[in-house]
Structures are given as C-alpha cells and as structure tokens.
C-alpha cells in the first residue's frame, strides 16, 4: 500500500523514541501488503479497529501507542492522521475529535 503522512510517524518517533521500532515494523508490513478491505487488514492486525465510519486505529508497541489512519482500499492508500500515546487517546477531547471526524 501507499503510505501518506509518514512525517507524522517520524515526528512522533523523535519525541517518543521507544515507539520507533514498532512503528517501523508496522510500516514495513503495510508497505509490503495490499489490503482490499478491512477484513483482509484485520487478518494481519488482529487488534485494529474501525471507528466512526472513517478511521482505522492500530495498537502499536503493545498498546502503548494508537496510530489513527484513513484507508482508501480501492486506491490502496493509507493516510496517517495522527498518533497518540495510550493516555492521549483516552482523553475526552481526542475522542470527540475522532467522533466528529476532525483529525
């Protein structure tokens, strides 16, 4: 798949160095595989969730980080929207942004 928004992971990795290896491993799998549906993706990423009819959320680094993406399966493009620590993801304001599809 084509990954858009890789700068988000690079920036996050600078401020959270313990996320780098897990993000790199995730990126390698995504880049090497073409997923045509969420069900196909879920076979590889068992903990992935599809929320608010828009975002696919990946648990990264043993659930320490949450990677929020939008995926166009027809075009085989994954757009990285943002990454949160688990604590940030649980914050009400971030949940509200996702619910309103404003990431």
């Amino acid at each position: 798949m084509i990954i858009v928004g890789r700068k988000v992971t690079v920036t996050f990795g600078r401020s959270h160095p313990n996320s780098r290896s897990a993000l790199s491993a995730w990126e390698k799998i995504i880049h090497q595989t073409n997923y045509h549906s969420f069900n196909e993706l879920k076979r590889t990423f068992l903990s992935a969730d599809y929320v608010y009819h828009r975002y696919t959320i990946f648990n990264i680094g043993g659930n320490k980080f949450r990677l929020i993406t939008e995926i166009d399966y027809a075009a085989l493009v994954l757009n990285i929207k943002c990454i949160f620590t688990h604590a940030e993801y649980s914050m009400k304001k971030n949940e509200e942004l996702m619910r309103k599809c404003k990431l």
Side-chain angles (χ1 to χ4, degrees):
M1 295 193 80
I2 298 167
I3 300 173
V4 176
R6 189 174 179 295
K7 183 178 179 183
V8 174
T9 60
V10 171
T11 302
F12 188 84
R14 284 188 190 126
S15 57
H16 299 86
N18 57 334
S19 71
R20 289 182 193 156
S21 63
L23 285 169
S24 179
W26 170 86
E27 185 177 323
K28 183 177 180 181
I29 293 168
I30 292 292
H31 190 69
Q32 292 177 347
T33 310
N34 289 328
Y35 297 103
H36 296 93
S37 69
F38 178 73
N39 288 335
E40 284 184 15
L41 179 116
K42 188 85 170 161
R43 288 184 205 128
T44 304
F45 298 99
L46 300 175
S47 64
D49 291 310
Y50 184 68
V51 298
Y52 304 114
H53 305 292
R54 183 172 194 157
Y55 300 117
T56 301
I57 301 174
F58 296 89
N59 294 328
I60 303 292
N63 204 22
K64 293 177 187 161
F65 310 103
R66 300 289 177 89
L67 178 64
I68 317 300
T69 67
E70 287 181 308
I71 302 174
D72 183 338
Y73 292 101
L76 300 174
V77 173
L78 181 143
N79 185 7
I80 299 170
K81 301 303 283 182
C82 64
I83 306 173
F84 294 126
T85 64
H86 186 75
E88 291 168 337
Y89 178 80
S90 299
M91 294 173 75
K92 207 65 157 163
K93 70 177 183 175
N94 292 329
E95 184 179 333
E96 187 67 17
L97 287 172
M98 283 190 295
R99 191 180 63 71
K100 292 181 177 181
C101 297
K102 300 218 179 207
L103 289 179

